[in-house]
Amino acid sequence: MSVHTAEDSRKVTTHRLFEMKRRGEKIAMLTAYDYTMASILDRAGIDVLLVGDSASNVMAGNVTTLPMTLDQMIYHGVSVMRGVKRALVVVDMPFGTYQGNSKEAYSAAVRIMKETGADCIKLEGGEEILESVVRILKAGIPIMGHLGLTPQSINKFGTYAVRAKEEAEAKKLLSDAVLLEQAGCFAIVLEKIPAKLAGEVARTVKIPIISIGAGGEADGQVLVVHDMLGMNTTGFSPRFVRQYADVKSIIGDAVQHYVADVKSRNFPNEKEQY
Ligand code: KIV
């Protein structure tokens, strides 16, 4: 298997993502929540790291992303930033920090930028959160949008099924994407929508479109790192996830081996003590 490592060690910026789209170079993005994983992914050549509020699921064991707090997102953001030299780092704004008052949204965004040192933030939604988007952008904080299946609205949807299959929802998604681009967002994540619609959005707007379960016509791809490494213990396996490793088994086998060695007094040996 050929392994891609970044030939260009310069820091990835929002401008460079735009250039990648223009050149037709695909953007590779993954989630990260801690220092160690972030340093491994950064050294392996990932373009964008998302400190996703999916930390709520894969780090904290919650069923939804809704419990995540601003302080928790900042903690994860700070940890990831310590491990990253090259990748662009995006931090999710957690549920409840931007859907209401746009001044509160602005303050939450400023806290993320000041306290984590991350490059930008991500917000879920279109027209309904536009006031917050505009206020944050005016402060010079770059925003990545997120449309389609937006997990912070799971209680409204009531299902994790594919979004925007019907014409009315597809039209609204396309118009939201244009609105976010016009407002000044630098990229948009499209989650779990038909590939044809994602392709249409990617051709309509000039900013990069990143797919998670939205097909190969987008300008880039993002996955939750625990899913693609095979670390998920919940049985969650949607068809858009390609599993590149079986880390759960590797860890399980190693720990069983360690337990057996401790019980049998095989560990530590003479060389492993002082
Ligand atoms: O929080 C997250 O991991 C995300 C991805 C699903 C894009 O928003």
Side-chain angles (χ1 to χ4, degrees):
M1 187 173 80
S2 80
V3 176
H4 173 87
T5 49
E7 293 102 37
D8 190 342
S9 61
R10 280 177 308 152
K11 170 83 185 161
V12 179
T13 60
T14 56
H15 177 72
R16 283 188 63 197
L17 294 186
F18 187 73
E19 288 296 310
M20 285 166 83
K21 169 161 182 155
R22 221 177 35 84
R23 287 200 302 272
E25 181 185 342
K26 297 280 186 183
I27 297 162
M29 169 167 157
L30 283 171
T31 62
Y33 318 98
D34 65 67
Y35 164 80
T36 304
M37 184 66 85
S39 22
I40 295 170
L41 303 183
D42 191 51
R43 283 172 209 194
I46 199 75
D47 296 312
V48 184
L49 282 177
L50 169 65
V51 184
D53 60 357
S54 51
S56 180
N57 310 100
V58 297
M59 301 302 287
N62 292 311
V63 174
T64 73
T65 58
L66 274 66
M68 216 59 195
T69 67
L70 185 57
D71 284 340
Q72 287 167 338
M73 289 308 300
I74 289 172
Y75 167 79
H76 287 295
V78 168
S79 309
V80 165
M81 283 304 290
R82 288 195 193 109
V84 173
K85 289 199 172 77
R86 176 181 174 273
L88 181 93
V89 178
V90 190
V91 177
D92 259 340
M93 288 194 68
F95 174 65
T97 56
Y98 60 93
Q99 290 93 344
N101 183 325
S102 66
K103 286 188 182 157
E104 284 173 13
Y106 161 81
S107 303
V110 168
R111 267 200 70 196
I112 291 176
M113 298 300 284
K114 270 188 191 287
E115 295 178 36
T116 67
D119 301 297
C120 46
I121 55 171
K122 177 164 83 57
L123 275 66
E124 296 180 6
E127 184 258 326
E128 38 323 301
I129 57 149
L130 198 62
E131 194 183 312
S132 294
V133 167
V134 169
R135 194 181 281 271
I136 294 167
L137 285 168
K138 266 194 194 152
I141 300 172
I143 297 182
M144 177 179 274
H146 183 157
L147 300 170
L149 197 157
T150 46
Q152 292 180 13
S153 305
I154 189 58
N155 292 320
K156 184 175 90 182
F157 299 147
T159 163
Y160 284 100
V162 178
R163 304 300 314 176
K165 277 162 88 177
E166 307 302 331
E167 201 186 328
E169 195 181 340
K171 264 187 161 171
K172 155 115 172 75
L173 188 143
L174 185 56
S175 95
D176 276 345
V178 170
L179 217 57
L180 291 176
E181 176 180 46
Q182 285 171 348
C185 290
F186 75 88
I188 301 171
V189 167
L190 294 182
E191 180 164 353
K192 216 169 175 190
I193 64 164
K196 202 161 155 253
L197 175 60
E200 192 185 344
V201 177
R203 285 186 296 278
T204 304
V205 299
K206 290 202 169 59
I207 57 175
I209 295 300
I210 314 287
S211 151
I212 175 159
E217 289 185 38
D219 307 302
Q221 299 293 324
V222 56
L223 285 174
V224 170
V225 71
H226 289 62
D227 297 340
M228 61 85 74
L229 290 180
M231 293 172 74
N232 211 305
T233 53
T234 62
F236 175 75
S237 96
R239 77 190 224 197
F240 64 78
V241 171
R242 186 180 293 178
Q243 197 183 306
Y244 285 84
D246 188 3
V247 171
K248 187 171 54 180
S249 298
I250 294 172
I251 295 175
D253 290 349
V255 172
Q256 278 180 10
H257 199 161
Y258 169 73
V259 170
D261 280 355
V262 171
K263 303 273 180 204
S264 67
R265 296 175 167 71
N266 180 293
F267 176 80
N269 63 24
E270 282 298 317
K271 288 188 191 147
E272 290 161 332
Q273 56 194 332
Y274 300 96

